[in-house]
Amino acid sequence: MAWVLGYVVGLVVVVLLVLLAASTVGTARPDTALLALVVLGGTAVAALVAVRIHLLRRRGLGWADVGLRPPARTPLHLVWQIPAVMLAGVAASMVVLVPLGAGPEGSDDGLEDLATGGPAFVVLGLLAVAVLVPVAEEVVFRGIVLPALRARFRAVPGIALAGAVFAAVHLIPPALPYLVVVGISLCVMAQWYRSIVPGIVLHGVNNAVVFAGIVAAGAA
């Protein structure tokens, strides 16, 4: 995990240095949609590269060892699991946030920049949030973090903590109840399927729906 964090932070630092250099020499600042795509897609790729180099290759493991293998149960269960998890997340948001007078929607400026950057960035952004990011996050959080916490704690505390960590790292407080529910559900699914592949599908569908909502809101 330290290497994953190091690679991700390293990419962000490089982007910030490029922006600083552009500002210093007086060149135009890169398009915000392009920056958002580079950071979003780049951090996902950086995380996967870190896992490949510093975990799998060093220990002689394969991607199957972090859950990228055929599920032990039929993925047809996703037909009801995907809407059930998303609805449960919405319900949790309403229960927690409405009494506090807060809205369930979170703010993600990067996704908003992609959604308003034009058709090309919408398509590339959709591929990033619905494919690349889910693969990277499931490998890290369900393929590495979850087994590590399960080895240290009992099943229920380990799954709950892994789901909470997943929610917290997104740094979107209004979306926290929703993300906790989704994070815990993805952990349960990884255990039930003995694979992170169905979780990648659910994660991708969820992200695609969120991104489509941002695109629709920007076009309204």
Side-chain angles (χ1 to χ4, degrees):
M1 280 302 298
W3 282 110
V4 170
L5 183 61
Y7 273 55
V8 170
V9 171
L11 174 72
V12 173
V13 169
V14 169
V15 172
L16 291 176
L17 289 175
V18 170
L19 290 176
L20 180 61
S23 175
T24 301
V25 300
T27 58
R29 180 177 177 178
D31 185 84
T32 55
L34 177 60
L35 283 174
L37 184 62
V38 169
V39 172
L40 188 66
T43 52
V45 171
L48 291 172
V49 169
V51 171
R52 177 69 182 89
I53 294 175
H54 298 285
L55 175 64
L56 303 185
R57 191 170 69 181
R58 284 189 176 183
R59 299 191 179 184
L61 304 175
W63 289 106
D65 294 299
V66 290
L68 279 172
R69 53 179 175 262
R73 301 174 188 268
T74 173
L76 291 177
H77 289 289
L78 288 170
V79 172
W80 65 266
Q81 288 171 343
I82 290 175
V85 170
M86 294 177 68
L87 288 174
V90 171
S93 294
M94 300 297 290
V95 169
V96 174
L97 298 179
V98 170
L100 299 177
E105 66 280 351
S107 174
D108 192 319
D109 294 336
L111 292 184
E112 291 175 0
D113 290 335
L114 283 173
T116 58
F121 282 108
V122 169
V123 173
L124 292 174
L126 181 61
L127 290 174
V129 301
V131 179
L132 193 56
V133 170
V135 170
E137 291 191 348
E138 291 308 305
V139 165
V140 172
F141 290 103
R142 257 59 68 177
I144 300 174
V145 174
L146 176 59
L149 292 174
R150 281 292 313 276
R152 181 175 292 270
F153 303 100
R154 293 184 178 180
V156 173
I159 287 173
L161 185 55
V165 170
F166 168 78
V169 299
H170 283 78
L171 301 176
I172 310 176
L176 196 57
Y178 184 90
L179 290 170
V180 168
V181 170
V182 172
I184 291 175
S185 298
L186 288 169
C187 290
V188 173
M189 289 174 60
Q191 297 291 297
W192 194 67
Y193 281 107
R194 298 291 186 265
S195 167
I196 65 171
V197 174
I200 290 173
V201 175
L202 188 153
H203 199 150
V205 171
N206 177 81
N207 287 6
V209 170
V210 172
F211 187 65
I214 295 175
V215 172

